[in-house]
Amino acid sequence: MRRFRLPLRSGLALAAASLVGAALTAPGNAQAQDAFVPGAAGVGDSYFPGDGNGGYDVQNYDLAVRYDPLPGHLAGVATISARATQNLARFNLDLVGLNVRKVTVDGAAARFARTGQELEITPAAGLTKGRTFTVVVTYAGIPDPTLSGTEARGFHRTLTGAVFTGQPHVATTWFPVNDHPTDRATYTVEVDVPAGLTAVSNGVLAEQRSAAGRTVWTWRADDPMASYLVVLAVGDLELTAYTKDGIRYWDAVDRILGPNFARDALAQQSTVIATLAEMFGPYPYDIGGAIVHAAAAEFALETQTRPVYAPKFFAPGGSGVGVVVHELAHQWFGDNVRLADWRNIWVNEGFASYAQWLYTERTGGQSAAKRFAETWEAYADDLEFWSVRIGDPGAENLFNGAVYVRGAMTLHQLRQVVGDSTFFRILRSWATKRAGDAVTISEFVAHAEKVSGRDLGRFFDTWLFTGSRPTLPGPGGPAPS
């Protein structure tokens, strides 16, 4: 800023100048408002450009919700603390369905409008860059699930309650949110339910209180997380709390599934964490646990510190430990180190899938080499499987089996190329140095090249971005061990 020396003027002249200056900088003045612009209505994700919003960064969500299973009504007050990253004239939150009743910004009433999943909020005055502000949204309604293909995501009813979980954009079904992994935040979730029901979310159980036929459960997650990793389960859940190896666990299992359902698998969580920590570095959190629901949803998800599992994973005849390994491996790869764009899904799913192979190998089961050889032969003639370019699979193939299976195969082949010692240094240093970061595949490639001292561009192009079956080195192909 250039400085000018002004000539001396009378007090009256100075007062008049002061009044003019005040008028030019008043919040309602058109010239002053030129500096304030709307935040973007999406972060520009490759597959879901409307997800998330620009112009601010959320630090904390304080969610107070009341849920009644019959008729499935949800009423909530979301208190959101955020920091403006530009001069904001208005900004958006993501919310699907539900009726917004009131919005305030720093205690003052704000105008709002709805367009699709966008809740557009205009505060009484512009928000300057760097300013921390508080948004309070009061809302209510019966949640609607989102769809991923033909499968419902987000809101899932059970006989006694509901489960709110899924990916990639499901938080929007039950609270207003900046819904993209690039903006992670801490959470407090206070849930008011009919007496006799249990409500479970992420983090620690901070408080439980009952009165007038209702129970309020308060969960606090002090480790920042992406919005799709937030979970809420309500129902007739058996909640078991315990501590092992310095980690506090809360396991919740729907009682309709029967006594001791999934308990043998869940009892292995501390062993799984210890084994994975030997390979990937210290467990990122001091909280653990699981939710086994009785909804129709048939997936498992790495919801942070408290993964969610469908009953089918613990069916008779199987141990269920494999899926526990997968979701706990995500606590390193997917939760603590998270993707920056949904097209980079391999940095989540490929790593968690290969962790299953490694865990089996480390605990005296089938070697990863033999698993690779069997998988290689099993998909030998499956052109559809090999056609998926897992480094950029497209939104329609985000959760295609190839992303998981070929994803694991890619890491096993990397292990063969660089050797065991270097391979595990790559994984461990990736998990520790990039802790808390949103990352891309290209950043992992650069990291692997730096640690190994090798040019791996052609290798990753072949395994991640080629829509055909790669050629393995050596005349005999993979050799099981």
Side-chain angles (χ1 to χ4, degrees):
M1 177 184 292
R2 294 179 65 187
R3 293 185 181 274
F4 299 90
R5 184 178 297 277
L6 298 176
L8 291 174
R9 293 185 287 175
S10 69
L12 183 60
L14 288 172
S18 177
L19 288 172
V20 171
L24 289 174
T25 57
N29 185 274
Q31 285 183 271
Q33 287 294 346
D34 287 345
F36 291 84
V37 296
V43 297
D45 185 90
S46 299
Y47 296 164
F48 310 106
D51 283 9
N53 300 282
Y56 64 93
D57 175 62
V58 177
Q59 272 77 59
N60 181 72
Y61 293 87
D62 193 331
L63 307 176
V65 300
R66 176 185 172 116
Y67 184 71
D68 290 289
L70 292 175
H73 187 267
L74 178 83
V77 178
T79 302
I80 303 168
S81 300
R83 181 180 59 84
T85 57
Q86 66 179 62
N87 287 344
L88 278 173
R90 66 173 187 264
F91 59 92
N92 287 16
L93 290 166
D94 300 308
L95 183 66
V96 174
L98 303 174
N99 299 311
V100 176
R101 297 176 175 176
K102 180 181 178 182
V103 179
T104 65
V105 177
D106 287 338
R111 299 197 311 273
F112 62 91
R114 304 289 298 275
T115 304
Q117 74 174 35
E118 302 296 330
L119 171 61
E120 183 182 281
I121 299 170
T122 304
L127 302 171
T128 56
K129 181 178 179 180
R131 172 178 169 178
T132 298
F133 60 97
T134 300
V135 186
V136 179
V137 181
T138 304
Y139 61 100
I142 296 177
D144 292 321
T146 60
L147 291 177
S148 178
T150 59
E151 186 173 6
R153 304 268 173 164
F155 174 58
H156 312 271
R157 285 183 181 270
T158 67
L159 288 178
T160 58
V163 181
F164 297 82
T165 188
Q167 66 182 140
H169 32 228
V170 301
T172 58
T173 63
W174 66 284
F175 66 96
V177 57
N178 194 22
D179 197 21
H180 194 267
T182 49
D183 190 3
R184 65 178 194 154
T186 57
Y187 284 79
T188 297
V189 181
E190 179 184 282
V191 192
D192 182 333
V193 296
L197 298 186
T198 300
V200 182
S201 188
N202 312 75
V204 302
L205 178 58
E207 186 181 19
Q208 176 189 348
R209 65 182 189 272
S210 298
R214 311 283 302 185
T215 301
V216 177
W217 302 78
T218 301
W219 296 85
R220 190 183 70 248
D222 293 332
D223 294 300
M225 58 183 162
S227 52
Y228 81 93
L229 299 174
V230 184
V231 62
L232 172 60
V234 174
D236 185 14
L237 307 173
E238 181 181 358
L239 184 63
T240 305
Y242 56 97
T243 300
K244 194 163 186 179
D245 299 330
I247 298 173
R248 293 176 292 171
Y249 293 86
W250 282 268
D251 295 338
V253 181
D254 197 311
R255 285 191 174 89
I256 200 172
L257 299 173
N260 300 317
F261 186 86
R263 290 299 179 187
D264 289 345
L266 299 186
Q268 299 298 312
Q269 290 177 106
S270 60
T271 300
V272 171
I273 287 174
T275 303
L276 296 179
E278 292 174 0
M279 295 183 285
F280 308 145
Y283 179 61
Y285 314 109
D286 59 3
I287 310 296
I291 297 171
V292 184
H293 60 74
E298 295 197 342
F299 58 85
L301 185 64
E302 61 270 18
T303 44
Q304 192 164 302
T305 68
R306 193 145 299 118
V308 177
Y309 303 96
K312 72 172 187 177
F313 294 107
F314 308 102
S319 70
V321 173
V323 70
V324 172
V325 172
H326 185 100
E327 304 310 335
L328 288 179
H330 270 310
Q331 306 303 304
W332 281 267
F333 305 114
D335 293 12
N336 196 29
V337 179
R338 66 197 191 284
L339 50 75
D341 187 290
W342 282 105
R343 72 177 174 187
N344 296 286
I345 188 67
W346 174 72
V347 299
N348 285 15
E349 300 303 346
F351 286 56
S353 298
Y354 192 55
Q356 292 178 257
W357 296 16
L358 292 173
Y359 182 83
T360 300
E361 180 178 84
R362 285 287 180 107
T363 54
Q366 184 184 51
S367 70
K370 185 170 179 59
R371 179 72 175 271
F372 177 91
E374 291 179 355
T375 306
W376 177 260
E377 292 304 319
Y379 289 97
D381 301 318
D382 193 333
L383 298 180
E384 183 178 352
F385 173 85
W386 295 109
S387 71
V388 180
R389 294 168 171 83
I390 63 173
D392 190 0
E396 69 282 0
N397 284 317
L398 198 61
F399 305 112
N400 187 288
V403 173
Y404 298 72
V405 179
R406 184 174 177 175
M409 296 173 80
T410 300
L411 285 169
H412 185 73
Q413 282 303 295
L414 175 63
R415 182 180 174 186
Q416 307 314 298
V417 169
V418 302
D420 269 24
S421 176
T422 299
F423 175 75
F424 286 104
R425 279 196 294 115
I426 290 171
L427 290 193
R428 189 181 182 96
S429 56
W430 176 249
T432 54
K433 291 182 179 179
R434 299 308 303 268
D437 291 346
V439 301
T440 64
I441 289 174
S442 61
E443 288 175 329
F444 178 75
V445 172
H447 175 78
E449 289 182 331
K450 181 178 180 180
V451 174
S452 67
R454 302 183 60 158
D455 183 350
L456 298 169
R458 184 176 179 183
F459 167 84
F460 281 110
D461 282 345
T462 298
W463 278 93
L464 297 180
F465 299 102
T466 301
S468 59
R469 192 177 190 231
T471 300
L472 294 178
S481 61

